Amino acid sequence: MPMSEPILAISGLDAHYGDFQALFGVSLTVEPGEVLAIIGANGAGKSTLMRSICGLIRNAPGAIRFRGEAIGGLRADQVAARGIALVPEGRLLFASLSVEENLIIGGQMGRPGPWSLARIYELFPILRERRRVPATELSGGQQQMVAIGRALMANPGLLLLDEISLGLAPVVIKAIYEALPGIVGGGMAAVIVEQDIARALSVSARVYCLQEGHVALAGNSGDVTREAIAAAYFGM
Amino acid sequence: MSQRVTRSSRLSQGAAVLGLLVLILLAAAPWWAGRADMRLMGEIFLYLSLATLWNLLAGYAGLVSVGQQAYVGLGGYALFALTILAGVPALWAIPLAGLLGALVAVPVAALIFRLRGAYFAIGTWVIAEVFRLGAAQVSALGGGSGTSLPADVVRAMASGRDAREALAYWLALGVAMAVIGLAFAILRSRLGLALMALRDNELAARSLGINIWRTKFIVYVATAGLTTLIGALIFVQKLRISPDAGFSVNDWTAFVIFIVVIGGIGTLEGPIIGTLVFFALRETMADMGSVYLIALGVVAIVVMLRAPAGIWGLIRARTGAELFPISHRVRGTTTKETADGKKA
């Protein structure tokens, strides 16, 4: 069991899209420097959870606490200013901006920290070569690097990665995940939403499985059995 | 890498040289153009400025206002009030009007930013009507029937009619250049990055900490201030104002939207082309009465159906041309590199 104060604490989160309730009493914690994986079938509420954390969906203030502060009711820009950055599903790069401008936008809040343009280019050298190219002209894998770099430029304390392998070739996914240890660590925690369960378990310390808006399983990534995941995933 | 990175292209550099030559020629107009031509060109510059500002507002910040006549009229009335009632020289009243417009825009923005989309558009129009009705109540400025700029105020502007007409012309030309230059500078600044990011993908922009309200607020107040300043200039030229002329939704918003949409919304080149098209139509067809308005409507419908991105959007899609280098370009081995990159 974790000893230190969690960096993110979610308790009894109910999230709604209009009249539709997507999350029911979800509770989870993220420890400093930890990589947490969220798995679950389509429509289980994974993306809703990510959007709730970063303020794109407003919730009860106390349902989400970041470094002890109630942030559930804050606007997305207020949450971002406190140090939570999202790599959104589908990347959502800015098409009229170049690669470098996309990265600069990520750092426009001026939060201090280890990440800078130079350090992003060190992590993904191809982006330096292509920095003047419109971001959406890059290959899918390179676009994902821009999306990750753009989030890192905010020097977040918590990085949210939503389906970063979606639509990418396996070799590209492997390259991106190989860069992950260089990103997380140094105090930054991460929450990863991932369809590929084996991949999710291999990069994370702990895993939560969502099923129809409820937490169906929580455990250490090394300990959970295939049977337990199958049961939590499909509700059998 | 042997490739060269630049914002500008040969075309935009050529356009800059050509533009400078045209600018010198235009600045010298008082020595080669007649009085009527100068008045027309002055009007063209002021419409170009209004269109560039509306384009910044609607095309970049997504604030589709149909109430910018509120600020044109405010500028006109501020000019008349400052000169007639406060005795301020006309040349000082123009920038003061601009400042006043920006100040008035602050509470107006706080009010109408609560509205979204179509409701925002209607809200801006309602505000403009409130301004018009308010202006009609000012009996010192002629109430509902309006007033003229007194002869001594006009005479104090310059020595003689030719000098005054030249001054009004140069002011219009100068403001048009300043507005286009400012729009260009904003779009290349961080604010411009934030605006374009918001336009491209609002969700991603919000999650990166861009404060939508503040970004749009800055653009709204800046365009309102400049629109008010242009309003003052318009009525320096006209010398007479009434509530219906000052706050005309037709003259100061409908025609401006026509210009921007025809030319190409969301581009700096669009309003320039749209202004030229609009005045070409007006000058050749204005004597035909309602046929002229029907022609404007037909042009608007045809362009929206055949080229929804406007005339400049069509040209750019066909040729990749860009006169104002806002976006980055890579020259050299781009094509090959992109092809390789796609495989990765």
Side-chain angles (χ1 to χ4, degrees), chain A residues 51 54-56 75-77 80-81 84-86 88 91-98 101 104-109 129-130 132-134 137-139 142 150-151 172, chain B residues 1 3 5-7 188 190 192-194 196-212 214 326-330 334 337-338 341-344:
Chain A
R51 288 180 177 201
C54 64
L56 291 166
R75 291 194 314 266
D77 61 291
I84 296 181
L86 171 72
R91 306 185 282 268
L92 309 184
L93 297 184
F94 303 122
S96 17
L97 305 184
S98 68
E101 285 169 330
I104 289 171
I105 276 279
Q108 51 91 33
M109 283 176 303
E129 279 172 38
R130 318 219 61 196
R132 301 292 189 195
V133 179
E137 276 182 21
L138 300 185
S139 69
Q142 292 167 358
R150 187 176 66 175
V172 179
Chain B
M1 287 281 111
Q3 64 192 19
V5 166
T6 167
R7 269 184 197 263
R188 286 182 72 152
R190 284 209 167 194
L193 281 188
M196 282 188 261
L198 274 174
R199 193 179 61 168
D200 284 352
N201 197 302
E202 188 170 317
L203 189 136
R206 278 161 62 200
S207 74
L208 290 171
I210 293 175
N211 185 327
I212 300 180
R214 197 183 59 200
I326 291 171
S327 58
H328 296 293
R329 295 160 169 274
V330 178
T334 328
E337 277 223 344
T338 309
K342 285 260 158 61
K343 278 182 228 149

Side-chain angles (χ1 to χ4, degrees), chain B:
Chain B
M1 287 281 111
S2 65
Q3 64 192 19
R4 209 151 61 82
V5 166
T6 167
R7 269 184 197 263
S8 55
S9 62
R10 190 162 297 161
L11 179 69
S12 73
Q13 286 156 5
V17 173
L18 190 69
L20 197 67
L21 289 176
V22 171
L23 189 63
I24 293 169
L25 195 66
L26 287 175
W31 287 281
W32 58 262
R35 190 175 280 165
D37 291 335
M38 264 171 55
R39 288 197 140 227
L40 177 63
M41 285 193 287
E43 200 184 351
I44 290 176
F45 298 144
L46 293 175
Y47 262 101
L48 176 58
S49 313
L50 288 177
T52 301
L53 290 173
W54 191 81
N55 182 39
L56 203 57
L57 203 57
Y60 285 96
L63 294 165
V64 181
S65 165
V66 293
Q68 289 311 92
Q69 69 273 19
Y71 297 105
V72 174
L74 179 69
Y77 269 93
L79 170 81
F80 279 60
L82 285 168
T83 52
I84 298 173
L85 305 179
V88 177
L91 285 182
W92 283 103
I94 295 166
L96 278 177
L99 204 62
L100 181 74
L103 284 176
V104 168
V106 171
V108 170
L111 192 66
I112 57 171
F113 274 26
R114 295 167 173 270
L115 305 172
R116 301 245 163 262
Y119 297 98
F120 174 85
I122 306 273
T124 57
W125 195 350
V126 170
I127 294 279
E129 284 301 294
V130 170
F131 280 27
R132 182 176 67 84
L133 293 169
Q137 298 304 310
V138 184
S139 52
L141 293 174
S145 52
T147 186
S148 297
L149 212 53
D152 55 328
V153 172
V154 176
R155 267 199 300 271
M157 277 173 63
S159 54
R161 179 161 177 194
D162 284 341
R164 194 187 72 238
E165 298 259 349
L167 180 67
Y169 172 83
W170 281 323
L171 285 174
L173 176 63
V175 163
M177 294 307 122
V179 164
I180 292 173
L182 186 77
F184 183 56
I186 284 180
L187 293 178
R188 286 182 72 152
S189 72
R190 284 209 167 194
L191 178 67
L193 281 188
L195 279 175
M196 282 188 261
L198 274 174
R199 193 179 61 168
D200 284 352
N201 197 302
E202 188 170 317
L203 189 136
R206 278 161 62 200
S207 74
L208 290 171
I210 293 175
N211 185 327
I212 300 180
W213 199 93
R214 197 183 59 200
T215 309
K216 293 187 172 182
F217 178 81
I218 294 171
V219 175
Y220 183 82
V221 171
T223 52
L226 286 166
T227 303
T228 312
L229 185 144
I230 293 161
L233 272 180
I234 287 172
F235 287 93
V236 159
Q237 244 194 11
K238 290 191 183 295
L239 300 178
R240 191 183 154 68
I241 198 167
S242 68
D244 289 345
F247 299 94
S248 164
V249 65
N250 249 344
D251 288 351
W252 313 129
T253 294
F255 289 155
V256 168
I257 295 178
F258 174 89
I259 287 171
V260 175
V261 171
I262 295 299
I265 192 167
T267 64
L268 275 179
E269 295 88 347
I272 301 174
I273 291 181
T275 307
L276 294 176
V277 170
F278 172 71
F279 277 91
L281 284 171
R282 200 187 78 173
E283 291 309 303
T284 50
M285 306 185 76
D287 297 337
M288 299 180 185
S290 53
V291 173
Y292 157 62
L293 291 174
I294 293 170
L296 280 191
V298 168
V299 169
I301 291 168
V302 168
V303 169
M304 275 184 252
L305 287 178
R306 308 295 304 175
I311 295 170
W312 184 254
L314 198 67
I315 295 173
R316 191 169 59 173
R318 295 249 167 111
T319 64
E322 193 175 45
L323 299 182
F324 291 96
I326 291 171
S327 58
H328 296 293
R329 295 160 169 274
V330 178
R331 303 247 297 277
T333 54
T334 328
T335 340
K336 187 176 168 292
E337 277 223 344
T338 309
D340 292 345
K342 285 260 158 61
K343 278 182 228 149

Side-chain angles (χ1 to χ4, degrees), chain A residues 52-137:
Chain A
S52 294
I53 296 172
C54 64
L56 291 166
I57 300 170
R58 307 276 277 275
N59 294 292
I64 305 172
R65 290 182 173 276
F66 180 60
R67 289 177 172 144
E69 183 188 5
I71 61 159
L74 297 183
R75 291 194 314 266
D77 61 291
Q78 295 170 320
V79 173
R82 281 160 175 74
I84 296 181
L86 171 72
V87 180
E89 184 182 347
R91 306 185 282 268
L92 309 184
L93 297 184
F94 303 122
S96 17
L97 305 184
S98 68
V99 167
E100 186 157 293
E101 285 169 330
N102 268 276
L103 296 174
I104 289 171
I105 276 279
Q108 51 91 33
M109 283 176 303
R111 284 175 53 82
W115 292 98
S116 60
L117 266 184
R119 187 122 184 249
I120 303 285
Y121 288 149
E122 207 176 292
L123 181 68
F124 301 120
I126 183 72
L127 297 188
R128 185 199 298 276
E129 279 172 38
R130 318 219 61 196
R131 67 186 188 276
R132 301 292 189 195
V133 179
T136 43
E137 276 182 21

